[in-house]
Amino acid sequence: MREGIHPAYGPVVFRDRAANHAFLTRSTMTSDKRIEWEDGHTYPVVDIEISNVSHPFHTGNARVLDTAGRVERFERRYGKRS
């Protein structure tokens, strides 16, 4: 790899505000805000809106769409296919 062209890669805390959940990982993202982690070290923190803890796919709270009702309504409005 060439020197001086890649961003710094280090530990960052990502905090999901919706679920009040945070996790420590490595990333190239940076932030001016800092947080003291469980290990006593201070890391930059990046606030995110959604993570695996609050995403409907992972939590099982996904809405089920009534596709059959939509198809029937479309067919009533525009007629069935021939």
Side-chain angles (χ1 to χ4, degrees):
M1 292 195 320
R2 290 179 31 201
E3 294 291 326
I5 64 167
H6 300 285
Y9 183 72
V12 177
V13 174
F14 287 93
R15 180 171 51 191
D16 182 354
R17 291 297 207 159
N20 196 22
H21 175 73
F23 55 95
L24 176 66
T25 187
R26 295 177 53 89
S27 176
T28 58
M29 292 188 73
T30 60
S31 175
D32 294 333
K33 295 187 275 182
R34 302 192 69 73
I35 189 171
E36 186 173 338
W37 193 243
E38 300 159 354
D39 62 2
H41 292 94
T42 304
Y43 299 106
V45 63
V46 176
D47 291 325
I48 55 177
E49 295 181 20
I50 197 161
S51 70
N52 65 327
V53 176
S54 61
H55 194 280
F57 178 79
H58 296 287
T59 61
N61 295 333
R63 294 183 305 181
V64 177
L65 296 177
D66 180 23
T67 55
R70 290 181 182 207
V71 171
E72 290 168 0
R73 187 170 56 218
F74 179 85
E75 289 175 347
R76 277 197 315 263
R77 187 176 296 167
Y78 299 107
K80 291 187 175 186
R81 283 193 207 170
S82 302

